[in-house]
Amino acid sequence: VVVVHNGIVENYLELREWLVSEGHTFSTETDTEAIANLVAWSLRRGRSLHEAVQDTLERLEGSYGMVVMAASEPHRIIVARQDSPLVIGVGPHGRYAASDMPALLPLTRDFVVLENGEHAVLEPQAHRIYDRAGRVIPRESVRCDWTPEQAEKQGFPHFMLKEIHEQPDVLARTAFERCLDLEGDVSFEEGFGLSDAALRGIGRLRFMAMGTSLHAAMIGQQLAGALARLPGETLNASEFLYSAELEEGDALTVVVSQSGETADSLRALREVKRRGGRVLGICNVRGSTLAREADHLIFTHCGPEIGVASTKAFFGQVVALYLLAIRLGRARGVLDAAEGRARLADLRGLRHRMEALFEPPALAAVRSAAEFLAGVRSCLFLGRALQHPVALEGALKLKEISYIHAEGYPAGEMKHGPIALIDPDFPVVALVTPGRTYEKMLSNLQEVRARGGRVIAVAASGDAKAAASADFLLPVPAVPELLAPLVTVVPLQFLAYYTALLLGRDIDQPRNLAKSVTVE
Ligand code: F6R
């Protein structure tokens, strides 16, 4: 019996004890081994593989996306799903199973998504889906509009590098068709489903997500405040479950998730709905659980993101959140048509302005900063306002692929503790872009330098003051303040990439990390 299992069997100790009493022996400490033994137990009692898996599912408590095979029925695979994602690929030469669609794109673009509590029998030319009670469920396959080429490296040495380079296209795909340039407004597809009246009725926003998507959500909250005057909060989705159960009232919760399968974000979504609230999902994967369970939807059109470290998905999320903030501002009468037009023109103009980020001078600057950074053990990323989440994101990128310890902080916090760490071996990466926070950031740099700290500054190209306060300057084009995160994040992604490259790390698959975190 072969079992592939993603999830956690919560009652595995109990099951294991019983199976041992039935004469089974275990060779690992994993919960998954209990599943394999349960299937074997039923097979030995004359049950078919399908029946044996059904017997097993009845005894399991917890979460699973699983695939089961047995030597006795080599032409058949049984798959089952409870709280962990599972898709079935339907191809001319076979049926396939995976946690998400990108894994199967080289084989097929037609998919059937399994719902919670369902299982399916796969044979080379057929599949049947069953509910818990064993009734057959008819389900059409859906066509994924991602192409297999999108899931290939196309000449880049790593997916991460390819995906960083795709960001200007992500901007065009996620935004441009939705821009109503003359009206100064934004039009989302049908799945958005929030009328002007509904948008006017929102009293506050709550953003929730995990990891990189949480950083995009933090930016989204600030954009909605600036462009739509809507109050909001941003919460780590896994923490929301423990928050006091207050009235949802006129709140709208925005759940941001690239994969749409992050267990913590989905738990939070379900909890909001249980409390009577409404959820808008911002998601990159059609057919994902978030896309199916959210009340309202905005898709980011990033294409498949394969590198474990998220880059273009963050970018697409911030673009979508910017569009959302404009739509909210227009519907609520905070932005007039002229202001809306100006904001959209800023966004359209960004594509051209971003080009400099990928040109040799910018990359040479990043590479020399990376050479320095590759030699340190620890560092600090600082930013204020919209650049605070970018600092958090820069630190996350660096730590996850280079394994160098990095912390992101709002720069104002520095004096309240982190400044004690500054010395020549503990550098600071600072976001010093034009706008309200510029002068304050410059004075933070002075404070770092006065204590012997080294500074890598991300600043507008040609900014002599920032250059004078930094050891390394990563130049970015000057753009309107609200869009600055979309340019400053790029050199930070490159910085993490080149540092990890110098250290010989496994960039696309860093240790201990998974692309979709489908267990809590
Ligand atoms: C970091 C990263 C993760 C994800 C997080 C949420 O580079 O990729 O932090 O952002 O696991 O994933 P999604 O957006 O799929 O919910």
Side-chain angles (χ1 to χ4, degrees):
V1 174
V2 177
V3 175
V4 181
H5 168 226
N6 173 30
I8 297 171
V9 179
E10 282 160 10
N11 58 336
Y12 91 98
L13 283 176
E14 213 172 282
L15 292 170
R16 187 182 166 115
E17 212 170 286
W18 174 72
L19 285 158
V20 168
S21 75
E22 290 284 304
H24 287 246
T25 49
F26 281 73
S27 48
T28 72
E29 294 299 315
T30 64
D31 53 342
T32 303
E33 201 179 348
I35 303 177
N37 277 283
L38 280 172
V39 173
W41 186 90
S42 287
L43 287 175
R44 281 186 193 148
R45 274 148 194 82
R47 309 278 280 163
S48 68
L49 178 61
H50 182 194
E51 289 165 341
V53 173
Q54 284 178 307
D55 295 347
T56 301
L57 297 179
E58 271 172 31
R59 295 178 189 264
L60 291 184
E61 285 167 25
S63 61
Y64 47 80
M66 71 162 129
V67 176
V68 186
M69 296 162 74
S72 54
E73 294 182 43
H75 56 290
R76 199 165 279 136
I77 295 176
I78 317 291
V79 299
R81 172 190 182 168
Q82 181 65 45
D83 291 334
S84 294
L86 200 136
V87 297
I88 299 167
V90 181
H93 306 297
R95 298 293 184 275
Y96 313 94
S99 292
D100 60 14
M101 297 184 202
L104 296 179
L105 283 178
L107 297 164
T108 181
R109 288 169 66 190
D110 295 312
F111 293 94
V112 173
V113 180
L114 224 54
E115 301 283 352
N116 264 344
E118 292 178 347
H119 68 276
V121 178
L122 313 188
E123 288 167 6
Q125 299 301 333
H127 61 269
R128 280 181 311 282
I129 301 173
Y130 298 86
D131 68 7
R132 263 196 196 92
R135 286 182 297 250
V136 175
I137 311 277
R139 183 160 307 147
E140 292 292 314
S141 60
V142 289
R143 183 135 250 250
C144 174
D145 52 13
W146 292 347
T147 63
E149 295 73 46
Q150 284 181 301
E152 284 164 11
K153 287 188 204 146
Q154 294 170 342
F156 285 93
H158 297 97
F159 278 110
M160 182 181 178
L161 192 61
K162 174 190 167 223
E163 288 161 3
I164 294 173
H165 279 272
E166 282 176 333
Q167 292 175 118
D169 290 340
V170 168
L171 166 64
R173 287 203 302 267
T174 300
F176 292 172
E177 276 190 18
R178 289 163 166 164
C179 294
L180 303 174
D181 299 291
L182 289 178
E183 292 95 324
D185 206 339
V186 170
S187 153
F188 292 115
E189 300 76 51
E190 212 180 315
F192 181 61
L194 286 163
S195 64
D196 279 19
L199 293 173
R200 278 195 293 273
I202 297 169
R204 73 194 157 93
L205 293 169
R206 179 201 289 123
F207 293 84
M208 289 203 279
M210 301 299 289
T212 286
S213 298
L214 180 66
H215 303 150
M218 292 169 76
I219 295 172
Q221 182 200 322
Q222 294 191 44
L223 292 174
L227 295 174
R229 300 262 158 261
L230 254 175
E233 59 176 346
T234 306
L235 299 178
N236 178 298
S238 66
E239 287 297 312
F240 174 66
L241 300 176
Y242 313 107
S243 66
E245 200 170 322
L246 306 174
E247 286 284 310
E248 286 294 314
D250 55 7
L252 176 72
T253 295
V254 183
V255 173
V256 185
S257 170
Q258 185 283 129
S259 62
E261 300 295 354
T262 298
D264 296 295
S265 304
L266 294 175
R267 270 287 296 276
L269 169 149
R270 291 175 189 141
E271 179 62 14
V272 171
K273 289 176 86 166
R274 193 192 65 75
R275 294 182 187 183
R278 289 167 303 156
V279 174
L280 164 66
I282 297 194
C283 181
N284 192 40
V285 182
R286 282 172 202 275
S288 63
T289 309
L290 173 60
R292 284 177 290 122
E293 293 192 14
D295 304 296
H296 310 282
L297 262 181
I298 301 175
F299 281 112
T300 53
H301 298 298
C302 305
E305 190 178 64
I306 315 280
V308 164
S310 182
T311 52
K312 64 173 178 173
F314 170 85
F315 188 93
Q317 288 163 348
V318 175
V319 171
L321 289 160
Y322 182 82
L323 296 178
L324 174 66
I326 294 178
R327 181 76 272 276
L328 281 162
R330 292 289 282 121
R332 300 168 68 82
V334 176
L335 290 183
D336 63 22
E339 283 162 324
R341 275 196 289 273
R343 299 300 181 186
L344 293 178
D346 291 345
L347 193 64
R348 279 197 183 271
L350 196 64
R351 193 174 189 199
H352 174 60
R353 291 196 187 187
M354 284 181 76
E355 283 166 12
L357 295 167
F358 301 90
E359 280 165 8
L363 296 183
V366 172
R367 277 170 179 269
S368 69
E371 269 167 37
F372 162 65
L373 215 50
V376 309
R377 292 191 56 197
S378 213
C379 63
L380 196 63
F381 282 67
L382 297 179
R384 288 173 189 256
L386 279 159
Q387 300 290 15
H388 165 222
V390 181
L392 300 181
E393 177 57 10
L396 177 60
K397 284 290 89 78
L398 186 70
K399 73 180 117 184
E400 65 185 339
I401 62 167
S402 75
Y403 315 148
I404 293 172
H405 172 238
E407 292 297 332
Y409 263 93
E413 268 290 311
M414 189 178 72
K415 288 203 195 66
H416 301 273
I419 199 165
L421 294 164
I422 305 286
D423 70 23
D425 299 321
F426 184 85
V428 168
V429 182
L431 295 142
V432 200
T433 43
R436 291 168 302 155
T437 66
Y438 178 73
E439 296 296 339
K440 286 238 164 57
M441 284 305 303
L442 273 183
S443 61
N444 286 134
L445 298 195
Q446 305 301 346
E447 287 153 8
V448 173
R449 301 257 287 190
R451 285 155 186 84
R454 313 283 295 273
V455 171
I456 299 172
V458 178
S461 52
D463 180 339
K465 275 197 202 165
S469 318
D471 299 276
F472 300 90
L473 190 119
L474 310 185
V476 293
V479 299
E481 201 175 341
L482 293 182
L483 292 175
L486 292 172
V487 297
T488 53
V489 76
V490 177
L492 298 188
Q493 295 166 341
F494 276 129
L495 187 62
Y497 176 82
Y498 285 116
T499 307
L501 194 67
L502 286 167
L503 293 170
R505 307 298 193 215
D506 185 348
I507 293 184
D508 281 336
Q509 282 179 322
R511 68 186 184 201
N512 307 341
L513 291 174
K515 182 68 190 154
S516 301
V517 185
T518 54
V519 287
E520 283 173 61

